[in-house]
Coordinates of all heavy atoms in Angstrom, one line a residue:
D43 N -55.5 16.3 -4.0 CA -54.2 16.6 -4.6 C -53.1 15.6 -4.2 O -52.6 15.7 -3.1 CB -53.8 18.0 -4.2 CG -54.4 19.1 -5.1 OD1 -53.8 19.3 -6.2 OD2 -55.4 19.7 -4.7
S44 N -52.8 14.7 -5.0 CA -51.7 13.9 -4.7 C -50.5 14.3 -5.6 O -50.6 14.3 -6.8 CB -52.0 12.4 -4.9 OG -52.2 12.1 -6.3
K45 N -49.4 14.6 -4.9 CA -48.2 15.0 -5.6 C -47.3 13.8 -5.7 O -47.0 13.1 -4.8 CB -47.5 16.1 -4.9 CG -48.3 17.4 -4.9 CD -47.5 18.5 -4.3 CE -48.3 19.8 -4.3 NZ -47.6 20.9 -3.7
Q46 N -46.8 13.5 -6.9 CA -45.9 12.4 -7.1 C -44.5 12.9 -7.0 O -44.1 13.8 -7.7 CB -46.2 11.8 -8.5 CG -45.5 10.5 -8.7 CD -46.0 9.8 -9.9 OE1 -46.9 10.2 -10.6 NE2 -45.3 8.7 -10.3
A47 N -43.8 12.2 -6.2 CA -42.4 12.5 -6.0 C -41.5 12.0 -7.1 O -41.7 10.9 -7.5 CB -41.8 12.0 -4.7
T48 N -40.7 12.8 -7.6 CA -39.8 12.4 -8.7 C -38.4 12.2 -8.1 O -37.9 13.1 -7.4 CB -39.7 13.4 -9.8 OG1 -41.1 13.7 -10.3 CG2 -38.9 13.0 -11.0
E49 N -37.8 11.1 -8.3 CA -36.5 10.8 -7.7 C -35.5 11.0 -8.8 O -35.5 10.5 -9.9 CB -36.4 9.4 -7.2 CG -35.2 9.1 -6.5 CD -35.1 7.7 -5.9 OE1 -36.2 7.2 -5.4 OE2 -34.1 7.1 -5.9
Y50 N -34.5 11.8 -8.5 CA -33.4 12.1 -9.4 C -32.1 11.4 -8.9 O -31.8 11.5 -7.7 CB -33.1 13.6 -9.5 CG -34.3 14.4 -10.2 CD1 -35.2 15.0 -9.4 CD2 -34.4 14.4 -11.6 CE1 -36.3 15.7 -10.0 CE2 -35.4 15.1 -12.2 CZ -36.4 15.7 -11.4 OH -37.4 16.4 -12.0
T51 N -31.4 10.8 -9.7 CA -30.2 10.1 -9.3 C -29.1 10.8 -10.0 O -29.1 11.1 -11.2 CB -30.2 8.6 -9.6 OG1 -30.4 8.5 -11.0 CG2 -31.2 7.9 -8.8
M52 N -28.1 11.2 -9.2 CA -26.9 11.8 -9.8 C -25.9 10.7 -10.3 O -25.4 10.0 -9.5 CB -26.2 12.7 -8.8 CG -27.0 13.9 -8.3 SD -27.3 15.1 -9.7 CE -25.7 15.8 -9.8
S53 N -25.7 10.6 -11.6 CA -24.8 9.7 -12.1 C -23.5 10.4 -12.5 O -23.5 11.5 -12.9 CB -25.4 8.9 -13.3 OG -25.7 9.8 -14.3
E54 N -22.4 9.7 -12.3 CA -21.1 10.2 -12.7 C -21.1 10.3 -14.2 O -21.5 9.4 -14.9 CB -20.0 9.3 -12.2 CG -19.9 9.3 -10.7 CD -19.4 10.6 -10.1 OE1 -18.6 11.3 -10.7 OE2 -20.0 11.0 -9.1
P55 N -20.6 11.5 -14.7 CA -20.4 11.6 -16.2 C -19.4 10.6 -16.7 O -18.4 10.3 -16.0 CB -20.0 13.0 -16.4 CG -19.4 13.5 -15.1 CD -20.1 12.6 -14.0
E56 N -19.5 10.1 -17.9 CA -18.6 9.2 -18.5 C -17.4 10.1 -19.0 O -17.5 11.1 -19.6 CB -19.2 8.5 -19.7 CG -20.2 7.5 -19.3 CD -19.6 6.3 -18.5 OE1 -18.5 5.8 -18.9 OE2 -20.2 5.9 -17.6
P57 N -16.2 9.6 -18.8 CA -15.0 10.3 -19.4 C -15.1 10.3 -20.9 O -15.5 9.3 -21.5 CB -13.8 9.5 -18.9 CG -14.3 8.2 -18.5 CD -15.8 8.3 -18.1
T58 N -14.6 11.4 -21.5 CA -14.6 11.5 -22.9 C -13.4 10.9 -23.6 O -13.4 10.4 -24.7 CB -14.8 12.9 -23.4 OG1 -13.7 13.7 -22.8 CG2 -16.1 13.5 -22.9
Q59 N -12.2 11.0 -22.9 CA -11.0 10.5 -23.5 C -9.9 10.4 -22.4 O -10.0 11.1 -21.4 CB -10.5 11.4 -24.6 CG -9.3 10.8 -25.4 CD -9.1 11.4 -26.7 OE1 -9.8 12.4 -27.1 NE2 -8.2 10.9 -27.5
L60 N -8.9 9.6 -22.7 CA -7.8 9.4 -21.8 C -6.6 10.3 -22.3 O -6.4 10.2 -23.5 CB -7.4 7.9 -21.8 CG -6.5 7.5 -20.7 CD1 -7.2 7.7 -19.3 CD2 -6.2 6.0 -20.8
Y61 N -6.0 11.0 -21.4 CA -4.9 11.9 -21.8 C -3.7 11.5 -21.0 O -3.8 11.0 -19.9 CB -5.2 13.3 -21.6 CG -6.1 14.0 -22.6 CD1 -7.5 13.6 -22.7 CD2 -5.6 14.9 -23.5 CE1 -8.3 14.2 -23.6 CE2 -6.5 15.5 -24.4 CZ -7.8 15.2 -24.5 OH -8.6 15.7 -25.4
H62 N -2.5 11.9 -21.4 CA -1.3 11.7 -20.6 C -0.6 13.1 -20.4 O -0.7 13.9 -21.3 CB -0.3 10.6 -21.1 CG 0.4 11.0 -22.4 ND1 -0.1 10.6 -23.6 CD2 1.5 11.7 -22.6 CE1 0.8 11.0 -24.5 NE2 1.7 11.7 -23.9
C63 N 0.0 13.2 -19.3 CA 0.7 14.5 -18.9 C 2.0 14.6 -19.6 O 2.8 13.7 -19.5 CB 0.8 14.5 -17.4 SG 1.6 16.0 -16.8
T64 N 2.3 15.8 -20.2 CA 3.6 16.0 -20.8 C 4.5 16.9 -20.0 O 5.7 17.1 -20.3 CB 3.5 16.6 -22.2 OG1 2.8 17.8 -22.1 CG2 2.7 15.7 -23.1
A65 N 4.0 17.5 -18.9 CA 4.7 18.4 -18.1 C 5.4 17.6 -17.0 O 5.0 16.5 -16.7 CB 3.8 19.4 -17.4
R66 N 6.5 18.1 -16.4 CA 7.2 17.4 -15.3 C 6.2 17.3 -14.2 O 6.0 16.2 -13.6 CB 8.4 18.2 -14.9 CG 9.3 17.4 -14.0 CD 10.6 18.0 -13.7 NE 11.1 18.9 -14.7 CZ 11.9 19.9 -14.6 NH1 12.4 20.2 -13.4 NH2 12.3 20.7 -15.6
V67 N 5.5 18.4 -13.8 CA 4.5 18.4 -12.8 C 3.4 19.3 -13.3 O 3.7 20.5 -13.7 CB 5.0 18.9 -11.4 CG1 3.9 19.0 -10.4 CG2 6.1 18.0 -10.9
L68 N 2.1 18.9 -13.3 CA 1.0 19.7 -13.8 C 0.0 19.8 -12.7 O -0.5 18.8 -12.1 CB 0.4 19.0 -15.0 CG -0.9 19.7 -15.6 CD1 -0.5 21.1 -16.1 CD2 -1.4 18.8 -16.7
N69 N -0.3 21.1 -12.3 CA -1.3 21.3 -11.3 C -2.7 21.1 -11.7 O -3.1 21.4 -12.9 CB -1.2 22.8 -10.8 CG 0.1 23.1 -10.0 OD1 0.6 22.3 -9.3 ND2 0.6 24.3 -10.2
I70 N -3.5 20.5 -10.9 CA -4.9 20.3 -11.1 C -5.6 21.3 -10.2 O -5.4 21.3 -8.9 CB -5.4 18.9 -10.8 CG1 -4.7 17.9 -11.7 CG2 -6.9 18.8 -10.9 CD1 -4.9 16.4 -11.4
R71 N -6.4 22.2 -10.8 CA -6.9 23.3 -10.0 C -8.4 23.2 -9.8 O -9.1 22.5 -10.6 CB -6.6 24.6 -10.8 CG -5.1 24.9 -10.9 CD -4.7 26.2 -11.5 NE -3.3 26.4 -11.6 CZ -2.6 26.9 -10.6 NH1 -3.2 27.3 -9.5 NH2 -1.3 27.1 -10.7
K72 N -8.9 24.0 -8.8 CA -10.3 23.9 -8.5 C -11.2 24.5 -9.6 O -12.3 24.0 -9.8 CB -10.5 24.7 -7.2 CG -11.9 24.6 -6.7 CD -12.1 25.2 -5.3 CE -13.5 25.0 -4.8 NZ -13.7 25.4 -3.4
E73 N -10.7 25.6 -10.2 CA -11.5 26.2 -11.3 C -10.6 26.3 -12.6 O -9.4 26.1 -12.5 CB -11.8 27.7 -10.9 CG -12.6 27.8 -9.6 CD -14.0 27.2 -9.8 OE1 -14.6 27.3 -10.9 OE2 -14.6 26.8 -8.8
P74 N -11.2 26.5 -13.7 CA -10.4 26.5 -15.0 C -9.6 27.8 -15.2 O -9.7 28.5 -16.2 CB -11.4 26.3 -16.1 CG -12.7 26.8 -15.5 CD -12.6 26.6 -14.0
T75 N -8.8 28.2 -14.2 CA -7.9 29.4 -14.3 C -6.6 29.1 -13.6 O -6.6 28.2 -12.7 CB -8.5 30.6 -13.6 OG1 -8.6 30.3 -12.2 CG2 -9.9 31.0 -14.1
T76 N -5.5 29.7 -14.0 CA -4.2 29.5 -13.5 C -4.1 30.0 -12.0 O -3.2 29.7 -11.3 CB -3.1 30.0 -14.3 OG1 -3.3 31.4 -14.6 CG2 -3.0 29.3 -15.7
G77 N -5.0 30.9 -11.6 CA -4.9 31.5 -10.3 C -5.7 30.8 -9.3 O -5.7 31.1 -8.1
S78 N -6.4 29.7 -9.7 CA -7.3 29.0 -8.8 C -6.5 28.1 -7.8 O -5.3 27.7 -8.1 CB -8.3 28.1 -9.6 OG -9.1 27.4 -8.8
N79 N -7.1 27.7 -6.7 CA -6.4 26.8 -5.8 C -6.1 25.4 -6.4 O -6.8 24.9 -7.2 CB -7.3 26.5 -4.6 CG -7.5 27.7 -3.7 OD1 -6.7 28.7 -3.8 ND2 -8.5 27.7 -2.9
V80 N -4.9 24.9 -6.0 CA -4.4 23.6 -6.5 C -5.0 22.5 -5.6 O -4.9 22.5 -4.4 CB -2.9 23.5 -6.4 CG1 -2.4 22.2 -6.9 CG2 -2.3 24.6 -7.3
L81 N -5.7 21.5 -6.3 CA -6.2 20.3 -5.7 C -5.3 19.2 -5.6 O -5.3 18.3 -4.7 CB -7.5 19.9 -6.4 CG -8.7 20.9 -6.5 CD1 -9.8 20.3 -7.4 CD2 -9.2 21.2 -5.1
G82 N -4.4 19.1 -6.6 CA -3.4 18.0 -6.7 C -2.5 18.2 -7.9 O -2.6 19.3 -8.5
T83 N -1.8 17.2 -8.2 CA -0.8 17.3 -9.4 C -0.8 16.0 -10.2 O -1.1 14.9 -9.7 CB 0.6 17.6 -8.9 OG1 1.0 16.6 -8.0 CG2 0.7 19.0 -8.2
L84 N -0.4 16.2 -11.4 CA -0.1 15.0 -12.3 C 1.4 15.1 -12.6 O 2.0 16.2 -12.7 CB -0.8 15.1 -13.6 CG -2.3 14.9 -13.6 CD1 -2.9 15.2 -15.0 CD2 -2.6 13.5 -13.3
K85 N 2.0 13.9 -12.7 CA 3.4 13.9 -13.1 C 3.6 13.4 -14.5 O 2.7 12.9 -15.1 CB 4.2 12.9 -12.2 CG 4.2 13.4 -10.7 CD 5.0 12.5 -9.9 CE 5.3 13.0 -8.5 NZ 4.3 13.7 -7.8
S86 N 4.7 13.7 -15.1 CA 5.0 13.4 -16.5 C 4.7 11.9 -16.8 O 5.1 11.0 -16.0 CB 6.5 13.7 -16.8 OG 6.7 13.4 -18.2
G87 N 3.9 11.7 -17.9 CA 3.6 10.3 -18.3 C 2.4 9.7 -17.6 O 1.8 8.7 -18.1
Q88 N 1.9 10.4 -16.5 CA 0.7 9.9 -15.9 C -0.5 10.1 -16.8 O -0.6 11.0 -17.5 CB 0.4 10.7 -14.6 CG 0.4 9.9 -13.3 CD 0.1 10.7 -12.1 OE1 0.7 11.8 -11.9 NE2 -0.7 10.2 -11.3
T89 N -1.5 9.2 -16.7 CA -2.7 9.3 -17.5 C -3.9 9.7 -16.7 O -3.9 9.5 -15.5 CB -3.1 8.0 -18.2 OG1 -3.2 7.0 -17.3 CG2 -2.0 7.6 -19.2
V90 N -4.8 10.4 -17.3 CA -6.0 11.0 -16.6 C -7.2 10.9 -17.5 O -7.0 11.1 -18.7 CB -5.7 12.4 -16.1 CG1 -5.5 13.4 -17.2 CG2 -6.8 12.9 -15.2
E91 N -8.3 10.6 -17.0 CA -9.6 10.6 -17.8 C -10.1 12.0 -17.8 O -10.2 12.7 -16.7 CB -10.6 9.7 -17.1 CG -10.2 8.2 -17.2 CD -11.2 7.3 -16.5 OE1 -11.8 7.7 -15.5 OE2 -11.3 6.1 -17.0
V92 N -10.5 12.5 -19.0 CA -11.0 13.9 -19.2 C -12.5 13.8 -19.3 O -13.0 13.0 -20.1 CB -10.3 14.5 -20.4 CG1 -11.0 15.9 -20.7 CG2 -8.8 14.7 -20.1
Y93 N -13.2 14.6 -18.5 CA -14.7 14.6 -18.5 C -15.3 15.8 -19.2 O -16.5 16.0 -19.2 CB -15.1 14.6 -17.0 CG -14.8 13.3 -16.3 CD1 -13.6 13.1 -15.8 CD2 -15.8 12.3 -16.3 CE1 -13.3 11.9 -15.1 CE2 -15.5 11.1 -15.7 CZ -14.3 10.9 -15.1 OH -14.0 9.7 -14.5
G94 N -14.4 16.6 -19.9 CA -14.9 17.7 -20.7 C -13.8 18.8 -20.8 O -12.8 18.7 -20.1
V95 N -14.0 19.8 -21.6 CA -13.0 20.8 -21.8 C -13.7 22.2 -21.6 O -14.8 22.4 -22.0 CB -12.4 20.7 -23.2 CG1 -11.5 21.9 -23.5 CG2 -11.7 19.4 -23.4
E96 N -13.0 23.1 -20.9 CA -13.5 24.4 -20.7 C -12.4 25.4 -20.6 O -11.5 25.3 -19.9 CB -14.2 24.4 -19.3 CG -15.0 25.7 -19.0 CD -15.7 25.6 -17.6 OE1 -16.2 24.5 -17.3 OE2 -15.8 26.6 -17.0
D97 N -12.5 26.4 -21.5 CA -11.5 27.5 -21.6 C -10.0 27.1 -21.6 O -9.2 27.6 -20.9 CB -11.7 28.5 -20.4 CG -13.0 29.2 -20.4 OD1 -13.6 29.4 -21.5 OD2 -13.6 29.4 -19.3
G98 N -9.7 26.0 -22.4 CA -8.4 25.5 -22.5 C -7.9 24.6 -21.4 O -6.8 24.3 -21.2
F99 N -8.9 24.2 -20.5 CA -8.6 23.3 -19.4 C -9.4 22.1 -19.6 O -10.6 22.1 -20.0 CB -9.0 24.0 -18.1 CG -8.0 25.0 -17.6 CD1 -8.0 26.3 -18.1 CD2 -7.0 24.7 -16.7 CE1 -7.1 27.3 -17.7 CE2 -6.1 25.7 -16.3 CZ -6.1 26.9 -16.8
A100 N -8.8 20.9 -19.1 CA -9.5 19.7 -19.2 C -10.1 19.4 -17.8 O -9.5 19.6 -16.8 CB -8.6 18.5 -19.5
R101 N -11.4 19.0 -17.7 CA -12.0 18.7 -16.4 C -11.7 17.2 -16.1 O -11.9 16.3 -16.9 CB -13.5 18.8 -16.6 CG -14.3 18.6 -15.2 CD -15.7 19.0 -15.4 NE -16.4 19.0 -14.1 CZ -17.5 18.3 -13.9 NH1 -18.0 17.5 -14.8 NH2 -18.0 18.3 -12.7
V102 N -11.0 17.1 -14.9 CA -10.5 15.7 -14.5 C -10.9 15.4 -13.1 O -11.3 16.3 -12.3 CB -9.0 15.7 -14.6 CG1 -8.5 15.9 -16.1 CG2 -8.3 16.7 -13.7
L103 N -10.9 14.2 -12.7 CA -11.2 13.8 -11.4 C -9.9 13.7 -10.6 O -8.9 13.0 -11.0 CB -11.9 12.4 -11.4 CG -12.6 12.0 -10.1 CD1 -13.7 13.0 -9.8 CD2 -13.3 10.6 -10.4
C104 N -9.8 14.4 -9.4 CA -8.6 14.4 -8.6 C -9.0 14.2 -7.1 O -9.7 15.1 -6.6 CB -7.9 15.7 -8.8 SG -6.5 16.0 -7.8
N105 N -8.5 13.2 -6.5 CA -8.7 13.0 -5.1 C -10.2 13.0 -4.8 O -10.6 13.6 -3.8 CB -8.0 14.0 -4.2 CG -6.5 13.9 -4.4 OD1 -5.9 12.9 -4.6 ND2 -5.8 15.1 -4.4
G106 N -11.0 12.4 -5.6 CA -12.5 12.3 -5.4 C -13.3 13.6 -5.7 O -14.5 13.6 -5.5
Q107 N -12.6 14.6 -6.3 CA -13.4 15.8 -6.7 C -12.9 16.2 -8.1 O -11.8 15.9 -8.5 CB -13.3 16.9 -5.7 CG -11.8 17.4 -5.4 CD -11.8 18.4 -4.2 OE1 -12.7 19.1 -4.1 NE2 -10.7 18.3 -3.5
Y108 N -13.8 17.0 -8.8 CA -13.4 17.4 -10.1 C -12.6 18.7 -10.0 O -12.8 19.5 -9.2 CB -14.7 17.7 -10.9 CG -15.4 16.5 -11.3 CD1 -16.5 16.1 -10.7 CD2 -14.9 15.7 -12.4 CE1 -17.2 14.9 -11.0 CE2 -15.5 14.5 -12.7 CZ -16.7 14.1 -12.0 OH -17.3 12.9 -12.4
G109 N -11.6 18.7 -10.9 CA -10.7 19.8 -11.0 C -10.3 20.1 -12.5 O -10.8 19.4 -13.4
Y110 N -9.4 21.0 -12.7 CA -9.0 21.4 -14.1 C -7.5 21.4 -14.3 O -6.8 21.9 -13.4 CB -9.6 22.8 -14.4 CG -11.1 22.8 -14.4 CD1 -11.8 23.0 -13.2 CD2 -11.8 22.6 -15.5 CE1 -13.2 23.0 -13.2 CE2 -13.2 22.5 -15.5 CZ -13.9 22.8 -14.3 OH -15.3 22.8 -14.3
A111 N -7.1 20.8 -15.4 CA -5.7 20.8 -15.8 C -5.5 21.4 -17.2 O -6.4 21.2 -18.0 CB -5.2 19.3 -15.8
S112 N -4.5 22.2 -17.3 CA -4.2 22.9 -18.6 C -4.1 21.9 -19.8 O -3.2 21.0 -19.7 CB -3.0 23.8 -18.5 OG -2.7 24.3 -19.8
L113 N -4.8 22.1 -20.8 CA -4.7 21.2 -22.0 C -3.4 21.4 -22.7 O -3.0 20.5 -23.5 CB -5.8 21.5 -23.0 CG -7.2 20.8 -22.7 CD1 -8.3 21.4 -23.6 CD2 -7.1 19.3 -22.8
E114 N -2.7 22.5 -22.4 CA -1.4 22.7 -23.0 C -0.4 21.6 -22.7 O 0.5 21.3 -23.5 CB -0.8 24.1 -22.5 CG 0.4 24.5 -23.2 CD 0.9 25.9 -22.8 OE1 0.0 26.7 -22.2 OE2 2.0 26.2 -23.0
Y115 N -0.6 20.9 -21.6 CA 0.3 19.9 -21.1 C -0.3 18.5 -21.1 O 0.2 17.6 -20.4 CB 0.9 20.3 -19.7 CG 1.5 21.6 -19.7 CD1 0.8 22.7 -19.2 CD2 2.8 21.8 -20.2 CE1 1.4 24.0 -19.2 CE2 3.4 23.1 -20.2 CZ 2.7 24.2 -19.7 OH 3.3 25.4 -19.7
L116 N -1.4 18.3 -21.8 CA -2.0 17.0 -21.9 C -2.1 16.6 -23.4 O -2.4 17.5 -24.2 CB -3.4 17.1 -21.3 CG -3.5 17.3 -19.8 CD1 -5.0 17.5 -19.3 CD2 -2.9 16.1 -19.0
R117 N -1.9 15.4 -23.6 CA -2.0 14.9 -25.0 C -2.9 13.6 -25.0 O -2.8 12.8 -24.1 CB -0.6 14.4 -25.6 CG 0.3 15.6 -25.8 CD -0.1 16.5 -26.9 NE 0.7 17.7 -27.0 CZ 0.4 18.9 -26.4 NH1 -0.7 19.0 -25.8 NH2 1.2 19.9 -26.6
P118 N -3.8 13.5 -26.0 CA -4.6 12.3 -26.0 C -3.8 11.0 -26.1 O -2.8 11.0 -26.8 CB -5.5 12.5 -27.3 CG -5.3 13.9 -27.6 CD -4.0 14.4 -27.1
V119 N -4.3 10.0 -25.5 CA -3.7 8.7 -25.6 C -4.3 8.0 -26.8 O -5.5 8.0 -26.9 CB -3.9 7.8 -24.3 CG1 -3.5 6.4 -24.5 CG2 -3.3 8.5 -23.1
A120 N -3.4 7.5 -27.6 CA -3.9 6.8 -28.8 C -4.6 5.5 -28.5 O -4.1 4.7 -27.7 CB -2.7 6.5 -29.8
V121 N -5.8 5.3 -29.0 CA -6.6 4.1 -28.7 C -6.2 3.1 -29.8 O -6.3 3.3 -31.0 CB -8.1 4.4 -28.8 CG1 -8.9 3.2 -28.5 CG2 -8.4 5.5 -27.7
T122 N -5.8 1.9 -29.3 CA -5.5 0.8 -30.2 C -6.5 -0.3 -30.0 O -6.9 -0.7 -28.9 CB -4.1 0.3 -30.0 OG1 -4.0 -0.1 -28.6 CG2 -3.0 1.3 -30.3
E123 N -7.0 -0.8 -31.1 CA -8.0 -1.9 -31.1 C -7.5 -3.2 -31.7 O -6.7 -3.1 -32.7 CB -9.3 -1.5 -31.7 CG -9.9 -0.4 -30.9 CD -11.3 -0.1 -31.4 OE1 -12.0 -0.9 -32.0 OE2 -11.8 1.1 -31.2

């Protein structure tokens, strides 16, 4: 019985779109709820890469970890080619 080891590599997901913050200060939270712990903040005009959407929140990278920001205060950045 020889068992073959399968190696799995965790790759970072690709961002789906770039958004900019429209709030003066927008909290980035640990979970997609307004009562969740705050991991960091975005300021007005700052851009952020979004890695997915869940329950009205955008999944973003903040200080090396994933968090959630309310889509109510994020607008897609227009892509120009």
Side-chain angles (χ1 to χ4, degrees):
D43 274 278
S44 69
K45 293 183 180 180
Q46 189 166 354
T48 305
E49 187 176 322
Y50 293 97
T51 57
M52 294 294 289
S53 61
E54 291 295 317
E56 290 293 317
T58 57
Q59 189 161 3
L60 196 62
Y61 283 71
H62 70 266
C63 177
T64 62
R66 194 174 328 156
V67 177
L68 179 59
N69 289 327
I70 298 174
R71 298 183 178 275
K72 186 172 181 174
E73 302 293 332
T75 65
T76 55
S78 180
N79 290 342
V80 175
L81 300 175
T83 58
L84 288 173
K85 292 184 173 37
S86 180
Q88 241 183 314
T89 58
V90 65
E91 293 176 329
V92 172
Y93 292 85
V95 173
E96 186 177 328
D97 297 329
F99 284 81
R101 186 172 187 236
V102 299
L103 197 57
C104 173
N105 300 326
Q107 58 187 328
Y108 288 102
Y110 296 86
S112 174
L113 279 172
E114 187 176 341
Y115 303 103
L116 293 172
R117 294 291 173 262
V119 172
V121 178
T122 56
E123 293 189 27

